[in-house]
Amino acid sequence: MLLTTFLCFSFQVAEKPSIALSIATALSHGQMSTRRGSTEVHEFEGRFLGAPARFKVTSVIGHVFSVDFHGKYQDWATTDPLDLFQAQIIKTESNPKAHICKHLKQEARGCHYLVLWLDCDREGENICFEVIESTGFKINDVYRARFSSVTEKDVLNALANLVRPNRDEAMAVDARQEIDLKVGVAFTRFQTSFFQGKYGNLDARVISYGPCQTPTLGFCVQRYLQINTFKPEKFWSLQPYIIQSGYEILLEWQRSKLFDINVAMMFQKLVAEDGILEVTDISEKQETKGRPVGLNTVNLLKVASSALGFGPQTAMQLAERLYTQGFISYPRTESTAYPPSFDFRGALSAQRNNPTWGNYVEGLLTSGYQKPRSGTDVGDHPPITPMRSASEDMLGNDAWKLYQYICQYFIGTVSPDCKYVRKKVEFSVGGESFHCTGQHVITKGFTAIMPWLAINDKSIPSFTKGQKIKVSKVELYEGNTTPPDFLTESELISLMEKNGIGTDASIPVHINNICERNYVQVQAGRKLVPTTLGITLVRGYQSIDPDLCLPDIRSFIEQQITLIAKGQVDHHRVVQHVIEQFKQKFCYFVKKIEAMDALFEAQFSALVDSGRIMSKCGKCLRYMKYISAQPPRLYCGTCEEVYYLPQKGTIKLYKELSCPLDNFELLICSVAGPEGKSFPLCPYCYSNPPFEGIEALINTAKTSTSGKIGKGAGMPCNLCPHPTCPNSLVTQGVCACPECSGTLVLDPISAPKWRLCCNMCNCLVFLAEGAHRILTTKERCLECDSSIIEVDFNKKTTPLADGSTLHRGCILCDVLLHSLVEMKHGRGFKRMGSRGRGRGRGGRGRGRGGKMMDPKMSFRDF
């Protein structure tokens, strides 16, 4: 038996699990073993650096780390936003639950070399050094694979031509991340805190600022202001008609249009009085419409929006999916020029059997294809190119549309130019010049495969120079100038590219952000219409410091970051300079915020004029108003206090009950849908939790139930440890949640479909449906220490043998009640003997300001 001796172990890391699979498949020719980990690990034997080697291929899932502020800067209430400019930033694991750092460290043990198959852009370079940090490899043992597609040919070629990772490009990303974090968070926290809750119909959870996001919004608002301030003007144009060879022809006036009706009528009279046109010149010229240059990301996004109906975010998601499946090359590229060594014949040959354009491709391969026109090579990736053939059935409708465009575009780049003959006939009458034009296509060229760019034939009759023709009629057309339309996504992308706002990768993110923040709305034709909030914000920036919403500063920052990537400037000096610049602007912005507030005041209604009467204030006993616009809140006009409420759910008064701690009337929040639940809350306790230590529990609930907790705090009654309140956790809690560390609490208004809801997660437990009444009691189960519940069954449907309706028991240990339990979003119950739930209800609180002994009630381990 032959024993293979491996001289080295090679650890290969890709950016996504799908890329890792493609790379491993290509390098092993499909002969590999796969095992599970945080991400899959593929192992096989091969040769590395000319020697026998054992390969181990795995992946990260995007960035390993993300930048954030230290914990002491996380509290909005205690942190001055100005301090954030000088605050130290830390890198934390982007997705702690995935355990990527631990996974990389474990899998790298015993390996001699690290090969990084990250995306070949600056972000990918940054992730390279995140992986190096996680694995602990020395830089001399680290290699970088550069590739543009995951075909076997490209992967093998990349392995044969390994390079070293580029620290300068990685540092450029670090610089951008630190600048965007500090500037964005400082401005966002200040203006959110200043405006949120001040106006009743201001619908915004977060009023965000971003060095890229805000200039992007600025373009949209600038177009809106152009439309809003536009004043139409009337114009007039001469339209003479002639009849030639049986065709009536409208001639075009050389002056086009005039804005003075008297002058226009004078020319009309001159032409009408003369009445005879003379042909003064006939010209024919062969013209060429050149085939396109290679396709880059920005042009793909523009077409996806204007022609295919996909937003930039959706288009990039589809393109990335096509790339990871091996159908196209890397979709993030700024280059429109192909490298001299590019295999055009190979790329075309992959499409020769395609049922849609295979015949056309076969013709190109037979008669000879053209090389694409010279474009721009920025040194990143070749233009986006189809790598293998596909059909609509393979890809699905949306992905197919994008793939079809990429294929037709690429085939168009290697097709002949379109050639046509343009004919122009010029006329003179009454001292004025007119003309008509026609055109005839000689060679369709690339427009045969890209018909949306085709030149249409336009025939005109034959004329001879000096020929006299009678004018059949002369009309004076009256029209109005029209304002520009709202920016389309395609136009906005062009403006962002022109002004250096964002990169090919981040442009879709910035456009998506201004939509999600309710600054603009996407309307028919992918037009971006700014909202009142978006308009008011930009006008506010313009009134204080126009630089904050103009592209100039961001363009300068991007230029400096590019210099960092080229190793020409120091990373720290650039960051310090930019941060100091924005710090000064922030101080001035804070000082002049009243100018922006005046604009908000003119557009949004004051709290006192907003909302509807809801419940009584516990301080003044006057009615408070409920304002449903985000963030939902109650406003007491007498005390001038705002109380924030859960962001999801319908809010109603709860039986006119009051909180025993502060006398505020209780509310009930009902969340609809499959994860629906109801819970009571005190507006004051919700915004100002009265028990020490409750904040940790609230933060757990925040992460477990997305979007449920409003601004400021979030202690509903099902988290309250008050010992005697009939609505508190102590009274209504039944047993531990089987899914998390929370407690299953009786939903007080769930009849007739009675249920228990976890106060931490979305776990629901349905009880005896149709029962007249279900109550919790003070009794405890001797086996598991859960609360005993009392069920009053319907007489007609009671499961009790003797026909009685009243039954008490534990839902875990009582055979009858346990048989009626139905779990949703959970693993189900087991009878667990006497493991119990720790200290049960032993925890007690001392009222407002008292120390909470046992906030979670220790309902565990049943």
Side-chain angles (χ1 to χ4, degrees):
M1 184 175 69
L2 293 174
L3 294 175
T4 305
T5 302
F6 299 111
L7 298 181
C8 68
F9 287 81
S10 175
F11 187 43
Q12 320 259 327
V13 180
E15 188 157 327
K16 302 178 184 71
S18 56
I19 300 295
L21 176 61
S22 298
I23 290 167
T25 303
L27 295 179
S28 69
H29 307 291
Q31 303 299 310
M32 61 186 180
S33 62
T34 300
R35 57 183 169 81
R36 290 183 177 276
S38 294
T39 58
E40 287 187 335
V41 181
H42 314 284
E43 295 184 88
F44 52 91
E45 299 168 7
R47 296 187 69 80
F48 180 73
L49 301 178
R54 179 76 180 175
F55 284 75
K56 188 187 288 186
V57 183
T58 189
S59 76
V60 293
I61 42 178
H63 274 283
V64 181
F65 300 109
S66 58
V67 294
D68 203 349
F69 292 109
H70 195 275
K72 67 179 181 179
Y73 296 104
Q74 297 293 344
D75 191 336
W76 287 35
T78 60
T79 302
D80 184 344
L82 182 63
D83 295 339
L84 298 176
F85 287 97
Q86 304 304 324
Q88 183 181 359
I89 62 170
I90 56 174
K91 286 198 171 188
T92 58
E93 197 166 352
S94 297
N95 192 345
K97 292 183 179 180
H99 305 293
I100 294 297
C101 285
K102 181 179 178 182
H103 170 70
L104 292 174
K105 190 173 183 179
Q106 286 179 342
E107 297 299 334
R109 285 176 187 162
C111 293
H112 303 98
Y113 297 102
L114 173 64
V115 181
L116 299 159
W117 295 83
L118 287 309
D119 291 349
C120 298
D121 53 17
R122 288 181 192 169
E123 294 293 334
E125 217 65 31
N126 189 261
I127 300 173
C128 280
F129 284 89
E130 293 177 350
V131 174
I132 294 170
E133 181 180 341
S134 299
T135 55
F137 275 93
K138 295 179 180 178
I139 195 67
N140 289 336
D141 297 327
V142 179
Y143 294 91
R144 176 79 160 101
R146 296 210 169 266
F147 59 105
S148 296
S149 74
V150 289
T151 60
E152 184 172 330
K153 179 181 176 182
D154 269 23
V155 170
L156 293 173
N157 184 62
L159 187 66
N161 295 277
L162 296 173
V163 296
R164 298 291 185 180
N166 188 322
R167 184 173 289 277
D168 291 328
E169 290 191 354
M171 295 301 290
V173 174
D174 282 347
R176 183 190 289 116
Q177 288 178 341
E178 183 172 351
I179 291 168
D180 288 352
L181 176 71
K182 290 185 174 181
V183 174
V185 173
F187 276 90
T188 296
R189 285 192 187 180
F190 172 72
Q191 61 190 26
T192 299
S193 300
F194 187 89
F195 290 112
Q196 198 180 67
K198 194 171 185 179
Y199 298 100
N201 58 342
L202 176 56
D203 190 353
R205 293 181 182 89
V206 176
I207 303 174
S208 64
Y209 176 88
C212 283
Q213 169 194 299
T214 304
T216 301
L217 172 62
F219 290 130
C220 300
V221 174
Q222 191 62 36
R223 176 62 64 87
Y224 163 83
L225 295 174
Q226 290 174 3
I227 296 169
N228 210 36
T229 58
F230 183 84
K231 294 181 179 178
E233 289 185 81
K234 284 188 176 182
F235 66 85
W236 292 267
S237 179
L238 281 187
Q239 293 186 337
Y241 290 82
I242 61 173
I243 296 175
Q244 178 75 357
S245 302
Y247 293 98
E248 184 179 59
I249 303 173
L250 169 62
L251 304 182
E252 295 179 48
W253 192 17
Q254 190 175 16
R255 296 182 189 272
S256 183
K257 55 180 175 277
L258 295 175
F259 292 91
D260 188 319
I261 187 172
N262 294 320
V263 176
M265 291 177 69
M266 178 194 72
F267 284 122
Q268 182 188 27
K269 184 178 180 183
L270 289 173
V271 171
E273 288 177 351
D274 188 331
I276 302 297
L277 284 156
E278 179 182 354
V279 178
T280 58
D281 189 49
I282 300 173
S283 60
E284 280 193 10
K285 183 181 179 183
Q286 181 173 310
E287 296 188 0
T288 299
K289 185 172 185 176
R291 60 192 179 277
V293 295
L295 180 64
N296 66 7
T297 305
V298 167
N299 288 325
L300 177 65
L301 295 178
K302 286 160 63 175
V303 170
S305 176
S306 60
L308 304 181
F310 302 138
Q313 191 93 335
T314 302
M316 280 311 300
Q317 288 170 354
L318 292 170
E320 286 173 2
R321 197 177 95 201
L322 290 170
Y323 163 65
T324 57
Q325 292 174 339
F327 290 108
I328 64 172
S329 62
Y330 190 61
R332 291 197 189 108
T333 177
E334 297 178 35
S335 295
T336 57
Y338 283 94
S341 59
F342 190 85
D343 183 9
F344 294 105
R345 176 169 288 277
L348 278 173
S349 297
Q351 301 295 327
R352 71 195 315 165
N353 294 321
N354 189 284
T356 308
W357 47 76
N359 291 337
Y360 182 89
V361 170
E362 190 64 50
L364 283 178
L365 290 169
T366 303
S367 59
Y369 57 86
Q370 308 290 316
K371 284 201 171 183
R373 288 194 300 124
S374 297
T376 303
D377 183 3
V378 299
D380 52 354
H381 287 272
I384 303 167
T385 308
M387 303 310 296
R388 61 189 180 100
S389 185
S391 64
E392 185 173 0
D393 291 339
M394 294 169 65
L395 303 179
N397 184 259
D398 288 349
W400 166 254
K401 286 181 183 177
L402 196 69
Y403 174 78
Q404 183 179 27
Y405 176 77
I406 293 169
C407 288
Q408 289 177 268
Y409 190 102
F410 168 71
I411 297 168
T413 64
V414 294
S415 297
D417 293 336
C418 172
K419 295 182 180 178
Y420 61 99
V421 174
R422 181 180 175 87
K423 184 177 182 181
K424 183 177 182 181
V425 182
E426 299 180 41
F427 306 86
S428 177
V429 56
E432 289 300 296
S433 298
F434 300 87
H435 66 270
C436 67
T437 57
Q439 56 197 26
H440 173 64
V441 176
I442 302 172
T443 306
K444 285 187 175 182
F446 74 95
T447 63
I449 193 70
M450 303 175 73
W452 58 89
L453 296 177
I455 300 289
N456 296 318
D457 282 350
K458 181 184 176 184
S459 300
I460 58 173
S462 296
F463 295 93
T464 56
K465 191 173 181 179
Q467 181 180 356
K468 308 282 187 179
I469 305 169
K470 183 180 179 181
V471 177
S472 61
K473 60 181 177 181
V474 182
E475 293 179 348
L476 188 62
Y477 172 78
E478 180 182 304
N480 286 290
T481 56
T482 56
D485 208 340
F486 290 105
L487 278 181
T488 62
E489 282 176 331
S490 180
E491 292 169 328
L492 178 58
I493 292 167
S494 296
L495 285 170
M496 293 174 73
E497 181 191 31
K498 180 182 177 181
N499 288 276
I501 302 298
T503 64
D504 52 6
S506 65
I507 282 174
V509 176
H510 301 315
I511 296 176
N512 187 62
N513 282 343
I514 63 173
C515 295
E516 287 194 340
R517 298 297 189 200
N518 194 33
Y519 295 160
V520 300
Q521 293 178 340
V522 182
Q523 296 190 357
R526 307 297 303 180
K527 293 173 185 172
L528 299 170
V529 180
T531 62
T532 302
L533 175 57
I535 296 164
T536 308
L537 272 175
V538 170
R539 290 184 61 211
Y541 296 132
Q542 290 172 341
S543 68
I544 298 174
D545 184 355
D547 281 348
L548 293 175
C549 60
L550 291 175
D552 306 56
I553 288 184
R554 187 62 196 194
S555 181
F556 169 76
I557 293 172
E558 290 295 341
Q559 291 170 10
Q560 296 300 303
I561 286 172
T562 298
L563 293 177
I564 295 174
K566 292 180 178 179
Q568 297 175 4
V569 294
D570 180 66
H571 154 267
H572 294 291
R573 291 185 65 184
V574 169
V575 172
Q576 288 174 1
H577 174 70
V578 173
I579 292 297
E580 183 60 33
Q581 201 175 32
F582 270 104
K583 182 181 177 182
Q584 294 175 16
K585 288 184 172 295
F586 177 80
C587 292
Y588 186 75
F589 179 73
V590 171
K591 185 179 178 181
K592 298 291 184 180
I593 190 63
E594 298 300 330
M596 181 181 276
D597 191 32
L599 295 171
F600 271 77
E601 193 173 326
Q603 293 294 335
F604 301 102
S605 59
L607 285 177
V608 70
D609 301 322
S610 305
R612 58 184 173 86
I613 298 296
M614 173 67 77
S615 65
K616 284 184 181 179
C617 171
K619 295 180 180 179
C620 65
L621 301 182
R622 303 288 180 90
Y623 279 99
M624 299 185 290
K625 285 186 173 181
Y626 172 55
I627 299 164
S628 58
Q630 292 290 347
R633 55 209 184 274
L634 286 175
Y635 174 66
C636 178
T638 305
C639 303
E640 295 187 346
E641 292 280 356
V642 175
Y643 303 101
Y644 290 95
L645 302 173
Q647 292 183 10
K648 287 185 179 180
T650 304
I651 302 291
K652 293 181 180 178
L653 193 64
Y654 184 43
K655 301 178 182 179
E656 297 186 357
L657 299 173
S658 297
C659 176
L661 290 174
D662 48 47
N663 206 32
F664 275 72
E665 284 190 320
L666 297 184
L667 305 174
I668 191 82
C669 178
S670 301
V671 182
E675 299 177 358
K677 60 177 70 176
S678 302
F679 52 88
L681 62 102
C682 163
Y684 190 84
C685 291
Y686 192 84
S687 291
N688 305 277
F691 298 98
E692 292 179 18
I694 196 70
E695 289 79 7
L697 189 58
I698 291 169
N699 289 333
T700 304
K702 279 184 181 180
T703 57
S704 299
T705 51
S706 174
K708 287 226 356 239
I709 304 300
K711 184 193 172 192
M715 190 193 82
C717 294
N718 62 15
L719 286 177
C720 175
H722 192 284
T724 60
C725 176
N727 299 291
S728 72
L729 172 61
V730 175
T731 307
Q732 294 296 322
V734 175
C735 64
C737 174
E739 293 291 297
C740 69
S741 60
T743 303
L744 294 177
V745 182
L746 182 65
D747 187 331
I749 62 168
S750 57
K753 296 184 178 181
W754 295 96
R755 63 194 173 194
L756 304 177
C757 307
C758 179
N759 60 2
M760 294 283 188
C761 71
N762 294 323
C763 182
L764 301 178
V765 177
F766 289 90
L767 304 175
E769 185 173 348
H772 281 309
R773 187 180 71 253
I774 296 181
L775 300 173
T776 57
T777 71
K778 293 182 179 181
E779 297 178 41
R780 309 288 293 281
C781 176
L782 297 176
E783 286 192 48
C784 70
D785 206 27
S786 296
S787 290
I788 298 295
I789 65 170
E790 180 178 281
V791 183
D792 187 3
F793 291 105
N794 188 305
K795 286 183 179 179
K796 296 180 180 179
T797 58
T798 178
L800 299 175
D802 56 358
S804 60
T805 60
L806 207 61
H807 182 79
R808 287 189 172 202
C810 169
I811 65 167
L812 302 179
C813 305
D814 185 278
V815 175
L816 173 63
L817 292 182
H818 192 72
S819 68
L820 300 175
V821 167
E822 180 186 351
M823 288 288 298
K824 290 290 177 68
H825 311 293
R827 296 189 297 261
F829 284 110
K830 297 179 187 176
R831 293 188 62 184
M832 300 298 291
S834 59
R835 291 178 63 186
R837 51 174 188 178
R839 301 183 336 139
R841 295 180 197 264
R844 291 289 183 267
R846 295 200 304 264
R848 188 165 299 282
K851 187 172 182 180
M852 186 182 65
M853 300 298 295
D854 186 16
K856 295 186 181 179
M857 291 181 67
S858 300
F859 287 146
R860 302 178 184 223
D861 302 325
F862 64 92

